Amino acid sequence: MKWIDIKAGFRDFWDEFKRVRFGLFGLILLFIFILTVFINPYIVPFPEASSRWRDITYWEDNPVSAPPVWVNWFSSTKRAPSLILKEHDFSEEKMGKIKLARAVFEYEYPYDLPPLDVIFHGYAKGSPVIMLSIERPDGQIVELVRRPISKSDGKDVRVSIGKDSRIESYNFGVKYEKPESNRIEREMVKPTSILFSEAKEGILVHPAPLKGVYKLIIEIILPAENDAVEDIYFTFSGGVSGWLGTDSSKRDIWSGVVAGVKWALLIGLLTAFTAVSIGVIYGVISAYLGGWKDSLMQRIFELFIGVPLLPVLIVMSAIFKPNIWIMILMMSCFFWVGPVKTVRSMGLQIKEETYIEAARAFGASSSRIIFKHMIPLLIPYSFASMALYVPSAIVYEASISLLGLGDSTIVTWGQILHDALTGGAVINGLWWWVIPPGLFIALMGMTFAFIGFAMDKILHPKLRTR
Amino acid sequence: MSEPILKIENLKEWFPVRRTIAQLLKGEQIWVKAVDGITFDINQGEIFGLVGESGCGKTTTGKLLMKLLEPTDGKIMFKGKDVTHLEANKLKEYRRNVQMVFQDPYASMNPRFRAQDVLEEPLIIHQVGETRAEREKIVRRSLEEVRLIPPEEFMGRFPHMLSGGQRQRVATARTLVLSPSMIVADEPVSMIDLSTRAEILHMMKTVQRELGLTYLYITHDLSTARYFTDRIAVMYLGKIVELASADEVIDNALHPYTKALIAAVCEPVSGKSNTGRSYL
Amino acid sequence: MTDTDNVLKVENLKINFFTRKGTVYAVDDISFTLKKGETLGLVGESGCGKTTTVLGLMKMVPTPGEITGGRILIGGKDIVPLSEDEMRKKVRWGKASMVFQGAMNCLTPVYTIEKQMMETIQEHKQMEYFKAKNIIINYLNLVGLPEEIIRRYPHELSGGMKQRVVIATALFLEPKIVICDEPTTALDVVVQAQIINLIKRLKKKLGLSVIFITHDLATEAEVADRLLVMYAGKLAEIGTNEQIYGKGGPIHPYTKKLLKATPRLHEKVEELSFIPGTPPDLVDPPSGCRFHPRCSEVMERCKKDEPPLIKVEPEHWIACWRNHHE
Ligand SMILES: Nc1ncnc2c1ncn2[C@@H]1O[C@H](COP(=O)(O)OP(=O)(O)OP(=O)(O)O)[C@@H](O)[C@H]1O
Ligand SMILES: Nc1ncnc2c1ncn2[C@@H]1O[C@H](COP(=O)(O)OP(=O)(O)O)[C@@H](O)[C@H]1O
Ligand code: SF4
Ligand SMILES: [Mg+2]
Ligand SMILES: [Mg+2]
């Protein structure tokens, strides 16, 4: 087959494909999936989700089990969403050898429920002292944290208002309560809930939100010439977080699900490709050889067909703890039986074509006939059946992962589902943790099923008229 | 005409028929005797016709000679050597020498191969021609031999872009690239329009004379056989019932089957109609 | 000859295929009649429009083809304006039926003969099962096949038997016109002779009018009472069997060449003649006489003007400038 031939073939195929509405729909979905792989870093807040899924420090600033942000749209109490605040005014003052730096972050707060925590981040060199205070819309300034940093060549600084300013914020709030409310335990009140509430009685027990613009003020004393605090920003762990919420380990589910697209495509396509290639070659060889060799190959094939696939895969995964590549290989080892039967019967038909006999009459070897004359005819069918095996591969991987036997260095939809089930997502009603990965599995399956059916629909009349 | 290039002795090809359970138990085996003990010689440089109605075993004979089937019994001698059973490398060698034109020009070429690929295939298989350019030269020459001129115009075409006649020319050219000494032509013109039939036969005959080839021409059509062949063997139910020179067979047929075959041929002559021809 | 003797009358029929390459003028303005009880032969090289013409008569031209002009009168009634439904109920199979080209190779391999035939009957007429089965058996007997054949599958039949089944199928609803498109092509001579004899016999017995298509002039000599010679979508010559094959022989250069290319068993010739070249591409047919690029008697006029079909003697028409005497 020449390139022009293939090109013409594809053009004809495409002309017909365009007419199958659901096939086109599948193709659009596939395009979107592939696009998400490439633009992944631009559409998720945590682009390293795939490689650091199980690294708790990566997710530290997130809230635990927060619902998606769009829950606000349907709820009368608006919760503050998770946020990263980088924009600030910066000024510096020199007092002899000592520098005094000041950064002001403005935070707009129109919500009913405060963020769970507000965390300051910076990269400190030398031994600066960091002071953190907040200026509320009502003009009160609360000093929250004063943190001297031990000398170093550079290290990350993380100051959590929620943890590090319990006393200060309690003291601020308690002024407004009746004296008897002293009984309220300090540990029971969240600092953010005090800081973002109206300064009046009940601030500790029944806080009313104080809406408006807050200023988070960072003052840094830099004692030595080269001391500095760089890359400063705040993260807010909100009451709602990200497009799909977070799980009980604070992981952003949207980031995880999008990271899973790549793996689903890889697992699906690679497994389908390997399996169908093996199956097609096996089927054609069996058909071509015929006789006892064919019978033997068919018996072997039946042996594989008889294997209960899922249990075997589960047992093998439990024993070998495979990584994703081995898993793909394992699945291919069982999936190849799929196309064999059809291919064999098509092969038996093609084998009887006169041009096959002609090639034999010219002394062509079996391998030449199989690979040059027979398999090219089966390529369209192979593509169609590949599309149909993609969903199964994804579902099987998910099933294995669901049992916690997946590759733990990556994140797949099956693993997210597994974590959800073991993490009690269902019991606690964390629907945003369960539905998205399930939905994505279904959607990806549908994509390839649509494409596969469309191809099948186009190719089959042709196969019949051949 | 010199010594025979091909000698066939008592050649048989019996195909087993699938048995019913009862037959299986009784141990009976029923055979379809497609070729049932035929003997003939083909001389060097001769056109030998094998004529008979369909199903009488002509194609099977052709395939036996091509070694596409293993004979049940009998002997095939090619150029004085016994070629009845050959192992792989000898077989390949034999197939360089004996080539076949198939009956259906629409089916005998891979629809995905261009004419050039079709012709190049035997060269690649037999490792003739070191480079692509060298092979292309041979391909060009063969196309010219079958009067597809200029060759460039046809080399790039797929079978479906060729008319039936043109395809059969390409099929003939394919047999010529390896310079064989004998060609088995299985009904090469029966699927071709009458107006071009003569043209193809004429071309085949010219090639045969130019290259000194030997043909086995298989057909059910006595009228082309008469024009095309030197000798005719009439085959009936796997056996040869009459063998003589072409004119002899047609003008002085002896066997009743041959006579019936001759009677079945339509002639473009008025007045013969409505006389009610005999048929088998 | 009055119009009532003509079971079929075709006037100025035009059929075009609207393909991507351009319009194929497959049948271009042809007129002829089919008389009661006669066999009309239609000959020509492949691709000259024979199949398209008769598919037009059944109004079964495949897309992208269309009847673009003319009238087809069956029993005096024009069928061109009829709807598909009316055609199926009133005309197809009932009045005129067809043995399609290659139909014997298109029998569905997974159905028994009975099932295939039953389907055809029931597609065209409501009928209860046993009545239909009786008809099937009757007609199979009529074409010389034993009853037991209805349980067989197509691959268990020889080519000749399959062709008989197809012919029997065409006769079910007792049509008066039967069209046979190349029923003998690709069969061996012996079977060819059998089929020809069968068609002749059926014609006499059932009083059919037959259109018999082939590219083999020798076969036509055997069956046809009258002959239409077609070239590149047009009629070149119309004549009786005697006029074409008799002593006078054909007049049109194309028919002459075609006849010369037909091998004769009992004449030993050194060289068979043939018509060089191929029929033209009907997207862009040659100007003037369509045969002129291949004609050995070509004149200047042939290249410019199209020759009209004129009568040279009773029943004998030709379209050629050579024999055009004003
Ligand atoms: N798809 C195509 N592309 C280019 N040329 C073509 C194509 N199809 C046919 N031709 C050319 O058109 C001419 C007529 O071809 P066509 O197949 O119509 O012949 P035909 O009348 O069917 O022949 P035959 O009588 O042998 O069956 C030939 O020269 C052929 O090579
Ligand atoms: N389905 C089709 N689409 C386009 N062109 C067609 C189709 N069927 C036939 N033709 C063209 O119509 C012309 C006549 O064809 P056809 O009637 O089949 O010829 P014949 O029966 O004489 O061999 C040819 O040129 C052929 O290429
Ligand atoms: S009109 Fe001219 S070209 Fe056409 S057939 Fe007659 S002589 Fe030949
Ligand atoms: Mg044969
Ligand atoms: Mg036709």
Side-chain angles (χ1 to χ4, degrees):
Chain A
M1 285 213 293
K2 293 282 155 53
W3 169 236
I4 299 170
D5 179 20
I6 297 172
K7 228 167 63 182
F10 269 101
R11 205 178 34 243
D12 288 352
F13 183 77
W14 174 239
D15 280 349
E16 285 192 51
F17 195 92
K18 274 192 297 198
R19 266 180 254 138
V20 187
R21 195 82 39 83
F22 58 84
L24 217 51
F25 181 60
L27 215 60
I28 290 168
L29 280 176
L30 176 64
F31 177 75
I32 292 171
F33 273 126
I34 292 173
L35 196 69
T36 53
V37 174
F38 285 102
I39 62 169
N40 183 344
Y42 309 104
I43 55 167
V44 296
F46 299 93
E48 289 170 59
S50 178
S51 50
R52 301 182 68 180
W53 189 247
R54 284 170 187 80
D55 176 358
I56 43 167
T57 62
Y58 189 62
W59 307 100
E60 202 165 35
D61 294 348
N62 275 348
V64 172
S65 306
V69 283
W70 43 266
V71 166
N72 268 352
W73 304 345
F74 307 103
S75 159
S76 52
T77 44
K78 311 289 183 206
R79 307 177 199 207
S82 288
L83 186 74
I84 296 173
L85 193 60
K86 284 197 165 145
E87 209 173 295
H88 60 273
D89 289 331
F90 188 76
S91 58
E92 215 172 41
E93 220 178 302
K94 236 185 169 140
M95 297 164 73
K97 275 182 87 178
I98 297 172
K99 267 190 294 182
L100 194 68
R102 186 182 154 90
V104 179
F105 293 74
E106 282 195 2
Y107 175 57
E108 170 104 37
Y109 179 73
Y111 310 106
D112 300 316
L113 289 173
L116 302 178
D117 197 358
V118 177
I119 300 140
F120 168 77
H121 290 270
Y123 185 72
K125 288 179 187 159
S127 48
V129 179
I130 295 169
M131 292 172 300
L132 172 62
S133 51
I134 187 165
E135 183 183 337
R136 295 161 32 104
D138 60 6
Q140 300 207 52
I141 298 178
V142 188
E143 299 210 343
L144 294 172
V145 186
R146 180 187 162 87
R147 163 87 59 90
I149 311 288
S150 55
K151 195 167 168 64
S152 79
D153 288 342
K155 69 176 172 190
D156 284 320
V157 177
R158 182 177 187 274
V159 181
S160 154
I161 291 175
K163 283 205 198 83
D164 301 335
S165 68
R166 279 188 184 277
I167 302 168
E168 288 81 355
S169 38
Y170 183 78
N171 289 347
F172 169 75
V174 83
K175 292 186 293 203
Y176 302 98
E177 287 288 2
K178 292 199 193 91
E180 60 264 31
S181 58
N182 271 354
R183 279 175 304 154
I184 298 168
E185 280 287 329
R186 213 162 57 196
E187 298 305 318
M188 284 174 61
V189 191
K190 269 198 307 200
T192 49
S193 118
I194 302 168
L195 294 173
F196 289 92
S197 299
E198 277 184 36
K200 61 177 191 192
E201 195 180 314
I203 187 169
L204 297 185
V205 268
H206 305 296
L210 177 64
K211 299 179 184 181
V213 177
Y214 288 73
K215 283 183 179 154
L216 292 154
I217 303 160
I218 297 287
E219 284 166 312
I220 307 164
I221 304 168
L222 300 156
E225 184 69 28
N226 290 326
D227 289 2
V229 178
E230 292 159 352
D231 292 334
I232 53 176
Y233 63 93
F234 278 94
T235 55
F236 292 71
S237 16
V240 290
S241 186
W243 286 114
L244 295 176
T246 59
D247 66 9
S248 64
S249 310
K250 300 184 171 185
R251 293 180 291 215
D252 183 48
I253 293 172
W254 168 244
S255 301
V257 164
V258 170
V261 171
K262 179 173 71 182
W263 295 108
L265 281 173
L266 180 85
I267 293 161
L269 289 175
L270 201 57
T271 310
F273 180 79
T274 325
V276 170
S277 305
I278 298 172
V280 166
I281 293 172
Y282 190 92
V284 171
I285 290 178
S286 179
Y288 180 75
L289 293 180
W292 65 268
K293 290 172 195 153
D294 181 34
S295 303
L296 180 70
M297 286 177 84
Q298 287 311 300
R299 292 299 90 72
I300 295 172
F301 156 77
E302 275 155 22
L303 222 66
F304 270 87
I305 281 273
V307 169
L309 184 47
L310 196 55
V312 168
L313 281 179
I314 289 168
V315 169
M316 283 174 69
S317 305
I319 296 169
F320 299 118
K321 297 266 176 286
N323 67 21
I324 190 66
W325 306 105
I326 308 271
M327 188 111 81
I328 288 172
L329 195 71
M330 264 166 36
M331 283 195 287
S332 308
C333 280
F334 292 99
F335 272 30
W336 65 265
V337 292
V340 168
K341 246 194 155 58
T342 320
V343 165
R344 180 171 165 272
S345 66
M346 283 162 73
L348 285 174
Q349 232 176 59
I350 299 170
K351 183 184 154 190
E352 297 304 324
E353 297 275 353
T354 316
Y355 61 85
I356 301 288
E357 196 162 42
R360 277 213 296 144
F362 289 112
S365 60
S366 303
S367 67
R368 188 181 167 85
I369 289 173
I370 288 168
F371 287 99
K372 276 262 166 182
H373 289 279
M374 296 178 79
I375 289 190
L377 276 172
L378 294 167
I379 283 177
Y381 167 78
S382 310
F383 271 114
S385 58
M386 263 178 221
L388 295 174
Y389 286 106
V390 170
S392 335
I394 292 169
V395 169
Y396 274 101
E397 192 278 339
S399 315
I400 293 166
S401 296
L402 201 55
L403 299 168
L405 300 168
D407 183 342
S408 57
T409 60
I410 59 168
V411 52
T412 68
W413 298 331
Q415 291 172 6
I416 298 177
L417 270 178
H418 167 69
D419 294 344
L421 297 187
T422 53
V426 179
I427 300 165
N428 298 322
L430 308 182
W431 50 265
W432 58 87
W433 193 2
V434 184
I435 293 175
L439 203 65
F440 268 66
I441 291 174
L443 205 62
M444 176 80 83
M446 207 167 76
T447 302
F448 281 97
F450 277 170
I451 295 172
F453 287 143
M455 283 164 91
D456 215 40
K457 194 174 158 176
I458 296 165
L459 297 172
H460 256 98
K462 283 214 178 127
L463 295 178
R464 248 183 276 127
T465 53
R466 260 210 51 73
Chain B
M1 308 251 164
S2 48
E3 84 285 4
I5 185 171
L6 186 87
K7 279 170 93 83
I8 291 177
E9 274 168 36
N10 195 29
L11 198 63
K12 281 184 190 166
E13 180 68 34
W14 292 4
F15 296 110
V17 177
R18 217 170 260 269
R19 287 176 286 186
T20 63
I21 294 192
Q23 286 164 340
L24 208 63
L25 291 177
K26 278 188 236 155
E28 273 175 38
Q29 176 62 52
I30 300 178
W31 300 93
V32 172
K33 301 179 181 176
V35 173
D36 194 18
I38 57 173
T39 306
F40 60 80
D41 301 346
I42 299 179
N43 296 321
Q44 172 72 48
E46 176 184 41
I47 303 183
F48 187 89
L50 191 57
V51 182
E53 68 186 299
S54 69
C56 75
K58 308 184 297 291
T59 301
T60 311
T61 309
K63 285 186 182 171
L64 282 170
L65 297 189
M66 285 309 299
K67 306 291 304 153
L68 289 169
L69 292 169
E70 276 294 302
T72 310
D73 192 14
K75 211 162 131 188
I76 306 171
M77 306 275 289
F78 183 71
K79 289 188 174 165
K81 283 195 218 99
D82 188 345
V83 294
T84 321
H85 304 283
L86 290 175
E87 59 243 31
N89 58 339
K90 287 255 176 65
L91 185 60
K92 210 167 160 182
E93 177 64 33
Y94 175 71
R95 282 182 172 158
R96 260 187 92 151
N97 275 311
V98 184
Q99 298 280 319
M100 185 155 178
V101 180
F102 289 84
Q103 179 167 1
D104 185 352
Y106 295 86
S108 69
M109 274 174 245
N110 191 327
R112 283 154 193 257
F113 278 31
R114 290 161 188 283
Q116 179 171 3
D117 306 325
V118 169
L119 294 185
E120 232 182 273
E121 189 170 31
L123 298 177
I124 293 170
I125 292 167
H126 290 276
Q127 288 148 18
V128 178
E130 303 277 303
T131 60
R132 203 184 156 82
E134 224 170 292
R135 289 198 295 267
E136 213 173 290
K137 227 171 87 191
I138 303 175
V139 167
R140 239 175 258 269
R141 204 191 55 216
S142 316
L143 283 172
E144 276 165 9
E145 268 161 9
V146 297
R147 309 291 180 279
L148 284 176
I149 297 169
E152 291 75 23
E153 191 178 318
F154 299 94
M155 277 158 68
R157 294 206 196 172
F158 289 102
H160 70 86
M161 298 177 171
L162 299 167
S163 74
Q166 288 163 341
R167 285 186 209 206
Q168 212 54 310
R169 283 168 193 265
V170 172
T172 311
R174 171 167 65 173
T175 63
L176 297 178
V177 290
L178 291 174
S179 329
S181 38
M182 184 171 155
I183 291 176
V184 176
D186 186 6
E187 311 221 14
V189 291
S190 71
M191 308 279 277
I192 293 178
D193 225 349
L194 215 91
S195 57
T196 23
R197 225 174 247 188
E199 198 178 356
I200 296 295
L201 289 177
H202 180 75
M203 177 278 293
M204 287 179 74
K205 207 164 188 171
T206 318
V207 169
Q208 184 253 352
R209 280 185 198 140
E210 276 169 12
L211 305 178
L213 298 173
T214 307
Y215 280 144
L216 173 65
Y217 175 72
I218 296 174
T219 184
H220 63 76
D221 180 10
L222 272 170
S223 44
T224 56
R226 169 167 210 172
Y227 153 73
F228 191 60
T229 62
D230 301 316
R231 282 195 301 152
I232 292 178
V234 180
M235 200 164 173
Y236 180 58
L237 295 180
K239 291 196 162 70
I240 286 180
V241 294
E242 188 156 358
L243 198 168
S245 78
D247 291 344
E248 192 66 22
V249 165
I250 286 157
D251 294 335
N252 299 311
L254 295 175
H255 196 279
Y257 179 74
T258 316
K259 287 182 188 160
L261 212 52
I262 290 168
V265 175
C266 293
E267 290 257 38
V269 178
S270 180
K272 202 184 168 189
S273 61
N274 305 326
T275 54
R277 266 187 358 223
S278 76
Y279 60 93
L280 295 155
Chain C
M1 193 68 46
T2 59
D3 253 13
T4 49
D5 289 331
N6 294 332
V7 285
L8 173 76
K9 189 163 193 225
V10 176
E11 288 173 1
N12 306 93
L13 184 64
K14 282 188 183 144
I15 302 174
N16 297 348
F17 289 98
F18 300 97
T19 66
R20 236 190 273 181
K21 271 198 323 192
T23 305
V24 180
Y25 300 94
V27 174
D28 199 13
D29 197 3
I30 67 170
S31 308
F32 63 87
T33 55
L34 174 66
K35 291 174 196 155
K36 196 167 176 198
E38 80 168 342
T39 304
L40 185 64
L42 181 53
V43 282
E45 287 162 277
S46 75
C48 72
K50 307 184 294 291
T51 303
T52 309
T53 304
V54 290
L55 285 177
L57 301 186
M58 303 287 286
K59 287 201 45 179
M60 290 176 83
V61 182
T63 48
E66 246 175 66
I67 298 180
T68 49
R71 302 205 297 161
I72 300 168
L73 301 156
I74 293 185
K77 192 161 174 280
D78 188 6
I79 61 160
V80 173
L82 291 189
S83 71
E84 175 64 22
D85 206 42
E86 284 174 298
M87 272 308 289
R88 203 173 53 234
K89 287 214 184 93
K90 294 192 188 140
V91 182
R92 251 177 247 153
W93 252 258
K95 290 202 170 125
S97 68
M98 183 157 170
V99 174
F100 292 94
Q101 180 169 10
M104 58 181 238
N105 297 321
C106 298
L107 297 172
T108 323
V110 292
Y111 286 172
T112 59
I113 298 303
E114 176 180 350
K115 183 145 192 214
Q116 327 233 5
M117 298 180 85
M118 194 65 86
E119 243 173 36
T120 315
I121 289 195
Q122 261 149 15
E123 197 174 305
H124 294 279
K125 199 170 179 179
Q126 291 299 323
M127 205 182 279
E128 63 172 283
Y129 174 78
F130 284 105
K131 203 171 157 210
K133 189 166 173 178
N134 257 334
I135 293 182
I136 289 175
I137 292 171
N138 277 344
Y139 278 96
L140 284 176
N141 286 337
L142 193 65
V143 298
L145 290 174
E147 182 184 331
E148 55 99 12
I149 223 134
I150 59 170
R151 280 182 299 277
R152 296 226 221 152
Y153 288 90
H155 68 90
E156 297 172 323
L157 306 181
S158 71
M161 285 160 106
K162 279 190 277 189
Q163 192 63 277
R164 280 165 199 260
V165 167
V166 174
I167 291 172
T169 311
L171 296 175
F172 279 157
L173 301 181
E174 303 175 4
K176 285 297 162 211
I177 302 172
V178 176
I179 299 166
C180 302
D181 192 0
E182 311 230 7
T184 55
T185 310
L187 295 174
D188 74 57
V189 272
V190 179
V191 182
Q192 268 181 25
Q194 290 168 357
I195 296 295
I196 288 169
N197 280 315
L198 174 69
I199 289 173
K200 278 185 180 170
R201 193 163 52 84
L202 289 175
K203 190 186 97 175
K204 241 185 238 154
K205 192 159 174 181
L206 304 176
L208 304 174
S209 307
V210 179
I211 297 180
F212 191 98
I213 300 178
T214 171
H215 62 246
D216 182 0
L217 271 175
T219 312
E220 291 291 19
E222 197 69 35
V223 283
D225 302 319
R226 237 155 33 93
L227 213 62
L228 305 176
V229 182
M230 204 168 170
Y231 184 75
K234 293 211 161 266
L235 287 178
E237 183 160 6
I238 304 177
T240 61
N241 189 304
E242 178 59 34
Q243 282 160 351
I244 304 283
Y245 299 105
K247 278 203 196 69
I251 299 174
H252 197 283
Y254 178 60
T255 321
K256 282 196 235 169
K257 289 209 154 198
L258 216 50
L259 194 58
K260 244 175 131 184
T262 310
R264 289 156 199 254
L265 184 59
H266 294 289
E267 276 170 37
K268 176 77 182 175
V269 283
E270 208 33 59
E271 291 293 315
L272 275 179
S273 71
F274 53 87
I275 313 176
T278 47
D281 189 355
L282 295 182
V283 174
D284 182 22
S287 61
C289 172
R290 292 187 176 182
F291 189 54
H292 87 251
R294 299 168 79 190
C295 182
S296 52
E297 297 174 40
V298 61
M299 306 183 298
E300 263 321 296
R301 186 173 190 186
C302 310
K303 293 177 190 164
K304 293 196 296 285
D305 306 324
E306 201 174 303
L309 193 65
I310 52 152
K311 201 175 201 170
V312 288
E313 54 183 311
E315 304 269 352
H316 199 166
W317 303 67
I318 55 163
C320 173
W321 289 124
R322 272 275 168 213
N323 300 280
H324 194 77
H325 310 291
E326 263 106 334

